[in-house]
Amino acid sequence: MLRDYVRRLLQLAAGIAVSSLGIVLMLQANVGLEPWSVLQQGLTLVLPISYGLATVIAGAAAIGLAVLLGESFGVGTIVNIIGCGVCIDAMLALDWVPQLHSLPGGIAMLLAGLELLALGTWMYMRSALGAGPRDALMVALARKTGRSAGVCRICADILVTVSGFLLGGQFGIGTVISALGLGSLINLNFSLLHFRPAKVHQENIAETLRYPRS
């Protein structure tokens, strides 16, 4: 039991790391931010906060809305909200990924980042320790509407993009590609990996506390 739980925690951590790297690649692609990054950058422009802290705030808002729609949250949700913010700030500070200044290279890097984000999403959702905030919202919308997770992600991303743009976030061709492409990549990856997120029970906080590991 304990070994299985540790395996799931490692899977969660790996998924967060992969997702964070994907977001950093999209930021450094410099062809327009992906939807949630538009919002998060917009928050840094109106509030004296770092990009990582803006990620935490946006994540908390997303999980709050998901809870209102009937989703619960777990250890993985909390780790995701905090962990992504810390990982993104650390990767940007270390300057491992150079910022690109050519459109073809930027689009290529953006697409690589989108794929890493989709793959990382599968990794930590598969741990079933609680979906990430944006994914919990995606699943909540999928359950409520009966639509695919990818379609719900696209709709949410469009609304988030508009909100971020109104706050002053950077909008470009990469934003359009991300808003339409991430949901499609999530659908493709989940289909290839035979993963149906709406069918997976994500362990919530109460269940984690109720069943001690031994």
Side-chain angles (χ1 to χ4, degrees):
M1 182 74 78
L2 179 60
R3 179 179 296 178
D4 178 65
Y5 196 69
V6 170
R7 177 188 61 78
R8 291 166 65 196
L9 285 172
L10 291 174
Q11 196 171 61
L12 169 67
I16 289 172
V18 170
S19 297
S20 298
L21 178 57
I23 291 171
V24 170
L25 286 176
M26 288 186 281
L27 285 170
Q28 297 298 83
N30 198 31
V31 291
L33 301 174
E34 58 90 20
W36 285 89
S37 294
V38 175
L39 175 61
Q40 287 148 196
Q41 187 190 57
L43 289 173
T44 66
L45 295 175
V46 299
L47 299 172
I49 57 176
S50 71
Y51 185 87
L53 182 54
T55 301
V56 173
I57 292 172
I63 194 60
L65 182 55
V67 169
L68 289 176
L69 289 172
E71 285 298 304
S72 58
F73 66 93
V75 171
T77 310
I78 298 170
V79 172
N80 189 295
I81 291 173
I82 299 172
C84 275
V86 171
C87 285
I88 291 168
D89 271 354
M91 290 178 187
L92 290 173
L94 291 169
D95 199 23
W96 285 346
V97 181
Q99 187 176 81
L100 298 188
H101 299 284
S102 71
L103 184 60
I107 290 177
M109 182 182 282
L110 175 73
L111 292 174
L114 285 171
E115 173 56 28
L116 285 177
L117 181 53
L119 185 60
T121 298
W122 166 74
M123 291 171 68
Y124 63 67
M125 289 191 74
R126 187 166 170 253
S127 73
L129 290 171
R134 298 155 188 80
D135 309 303
L137 180 57
M138 172 181 71
V139 172
L141 290 171
R143 291 190 207 278
K144 288 291 184 182
T145 64
R147 302 292 184 180
S148 72
V151 168
C152 291
R153 182 61 184 257
I154 289 172
C155 294
D157 283 351
I158 291 172
L159 290 175
V160 164
T161 300
V162 172
S163 301
F165 179 71
L166 293 175
L167 291 174
Q170 179 189 357
F171 182 92
I173 186 173
T175 310
V176 178
I177 294 172
S178 299
L180 300 177
L182 181 57
S184 300
L185 276 174
I186 286 175
N187 267 351
L188 176 61
N189 279 268
F190 285 7
S191 176
L192 291 174
L193 295 165
H194 306 290
F195 181 69
R196 300 180 67 185
K199 299 294 185 181
V200 175
H201 173 70
Q202 297 289 338
E203 182 178 300
N204 59 46
I205 293 290
E207 291 171 330
T208 300
L209 296 175
R210 192 181 306 133
Y211 299 113
R213 316 296 164 177
S214 60

